[in-house]
């Protein structure tokens, strides 16, 4: 009886258990809810507007300053221009003195060279014009005005006219030789004008530049003392100033020394022609006075 009752109870309860299991299963319900969501999401994605790409900022403005900074000319803070603008009165005075010395030496070199070349042309003209004349007076008139050779010839002619009075007591040959020699010495002194300036510049310009060097080192030491440390930015300017002063002093002195030696050697050559003319003129005047 009992078994029959249990079998009937199981047969009655089985449909209810099966129905409850089918209603509580999660997978079929989840699949049914997800299936309509997928097309809906796809439709919303399709309907959404596409994102607009914003234009990137050009890199040219950022690179332009770097390129311009690389190609721009950087002013030298330690050059001659900076030296003049940043230096004190003493350094400017030293630079001005060196500039005046340089201009004076170059002026003397150029003018003396032109004078020597002119005297060389006048010496060649003497051979073709003076010595081919009939008399000393005629030959003197052929020479150019301002020529040292004409000056000497005039001195010899005046000696023949001034040989009277107390001068007449001197031997005529000695008196003429004295006058011609005096004129020759004057030509030599005029030819040597300016040579002392070259010698002075050549000997003193390095010391003037050295004074500027010492003054620049003094400023460097002062900057170190004020800053309390020997940093390169504190001493670069004054030390650069000192080196520039030394270089300028040498640049002024070297041309002056070379020009002095060169012009002095050329003066010797020119004066040889002048002395030769003086000696021959003296002999011609004595011969003319003897024949007269």
């Amino acid at each position: 009886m009992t078994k029959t009752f249990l079998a009937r109870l199981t047969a009655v309860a089985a449909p209810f258990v099966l129905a409850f299991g089918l209603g509580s299963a999660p997978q079929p319900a989840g699949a049914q809810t997800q299936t309509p969501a997928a097309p809906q999401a796809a439709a919303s994605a399709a309907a959404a507007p596409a994102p607009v790409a914003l234009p990137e900022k050009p890199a040219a403005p950022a690179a332009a300053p770097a390129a311009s900074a690389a190609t721009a000319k950087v002013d030298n803070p330690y050059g001659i221009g900076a030296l003049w603008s940043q230096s004190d009165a003493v350094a400017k005075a030293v630079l001005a003195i060196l500039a005046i010395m340089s201009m004076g030496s170059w002026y003397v070199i150029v003018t003396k060279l032109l004078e020597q070349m002119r005297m060389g042309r006048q010496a060649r003209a003497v051979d073709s014009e003076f010595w081919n004349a009939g008399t000393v007076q005629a030959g003197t008139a052929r020479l150019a005005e301002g020529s040292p050779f004409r000056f000497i010839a005039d001195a010899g002619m005046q000696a023949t006219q001034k040989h009277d009075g107390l001068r007449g007591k001197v031997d005529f040959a000695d008196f003429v030789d004295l006058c011609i020699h005096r004129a020759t010495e004057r030509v030599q002194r005029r030819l040597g004008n300016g040579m002392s300036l070259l010698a002075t510049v050549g000997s003193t310009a390095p010391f003037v530049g050295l004074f500027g060097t010492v003054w620049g080192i003094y400023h460097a030491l002062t900057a170190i003392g004020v800053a309390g440390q020997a940093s390169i930015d504190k001493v670069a300017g004054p030390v650069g100033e000192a080196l520039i002063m030394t270089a300028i002093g040498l640049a002024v002195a070297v041309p002056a020394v070379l020009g002095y030696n060169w012009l002095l050697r050329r003066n010797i050559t020119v004066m040889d022609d002048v002395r030769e003319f003086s000696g021959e003129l003296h002999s011609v005047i004595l011969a003319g006075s003897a024949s007269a």
Side-chain angles (χ1 to χ4, degrees), residues 205-279:
F207 296 100
V208 176
L210 182 60
F211 175 78
T213 302
V214 174
W215 191 256
I217 294 175
Y218 163 74
H219 278 282
L221 296 177
T222 303
I224 293 174
V226 172
Q229 55 181 357
S231 58
I232 190 62
D233 58 338
K234 300 296 181 182
V235 301
V239 172
E241 174 184 336
L243 296 178
I244 291 176
M245 289 291 188
T246 304
I248 294 176
L250 294 176
V252 173
V254 171
V257 174
L258 296 178
Y260 175 82
N261 294 329
W262 183 43
L263 294 177
L264 185 63
R265 184 170 60 252
R266 290 177 60 89
N267 280 349
I268 294 174
T269 303
V270 172
M271 286 307 302
D272 287 341
D273 296 335
V274 173
R275 291 191 179 93
E276 181 180 354
F277 174 78
S278 300

Side-chain angles (χ1 to χ4, degrees), residues 117-142:
M117 295 173 62
R118 183 173 62 254
M119 290 183 65
R121 293 192 301 267
Q122 292 170 351
R124 291 188 294 270
V126 167
D127 295 333
S128 59
E129 295 180 0
F130 182 82
W131 299 118
N132 293 329
T135 60
V136 176
Q137 294 86 347
T140 303
R142 293 183 179 181

